[in-house]
Amino acid sequence: MNVLRTKSVERSIADTEEPEHRLKKNLTALDLTVFGVGVIIGAGIFVYTGQVAASNAGPAIAISFAIAGLACALAALCYAEFASTVPVAGSAYTFSYATFGELVAWIIGWDLALEFTVGAAALSVGFSGYLQAVLEGTPFAIPDEIASVESGVVNLPAIVISLLV
């Protein structure tokens, strides 16, 4: 068994043309736009921007955003090139399988699963902080013992947000 074997682009395309492997195209342009914006803009832009600007970047925050935007644009161009070269579903897993081999593709597939899990947890914690700030001073205020990252035992609002989503 060769864990470094690759799958040709032609074979990847042929595999997706079989009826049992064909994906249904149900997403509209609006669906794709909302999905793209949701993936690109996470809670971090709302949670940490002010803190980092105040402590590190100061007035150079505009330059920081320009550098981050350039990095995002270059990553988007890489994905566009990959998608035009290997025009099948599967994202980074399929791209790496066709170029680096099965072992690297397997690692990247699990890295993607880990990325989405950690990202969802971070978003839940960020939005839990927002919920705590909104409800502070009201009869619905959430005690720090069940919602604080620093002093609490568990972040219950983050768990509830994750389960709701």
Side-chain angles (χ1 to χ4, degrees):
M1 182 170 142
N2 183 8
V3 294
L4 298 177
R5 68 176 177 237
T6 60
K7 182 187 267 189
S8 69
V9 175
E10 294 79 17
R11 181 70 190 149
S12 295
I13 293 171
D15 286 347
T16 59
E17 290 176 352
E18 296 173 9
E20 65 269 5
H21 294 120
R22 186 170 289 167
L23 296 175
K24 295 179 182 176
K25 297 179 182 181
N26 293 332
L27 297 176
T28 65
L30 177 64
D31 294 333
L32 292 173
T33 302
V34 170
F35 179 72
V37 170
V39 168
I40 293 169
I41 301 177
I45 192 170
F46 305 113
V47 175
Y48 297 113
T49 303
Q51 296 170 353
V52 171
S55 63
N56 297 339
I61 190 70
I63 296 170
S64 300
F65 271 109
I67 292 169
L70 177 65
C72 289
L74 292 174
L77 288 173
C78 287
Y79 268 97
E81 184 68 28
F82 288 145
S84 65
T85 305
V86 186
V88 297
S91 183
Y93 173 83
T94 304
F95 305 148
S96 59
Y97 199 154
T99 54
F100 294 114
E102 188 174 18
L103 177 65
V104 173
W106 181 83
I107 291 169
I108 287 176
W110 279 104
D111 285 346
L112 287 171
L114 179 66
E115 173 192 349
F116 291 139
T117 304
V118 171
L123 285 172
S124 296
V125 169
F127 285 121
S128 171
Y130 285 135
L131 181 65
Q132 212 175 353
V134 166
L135 296 177
E136 188 176 325
T138 70
F140 303 108
I142 303 168
D144 282 343
E145 292 77 24
I146 63 167
S148 176
V149 176
E150 292 86 24
S151 62
V153 177
V154 66
N155 193 338
L156 190 61
I159 294 171
V160 171
I161 290 168
S162 294
L163 291 175
L164 285 175
V165 171

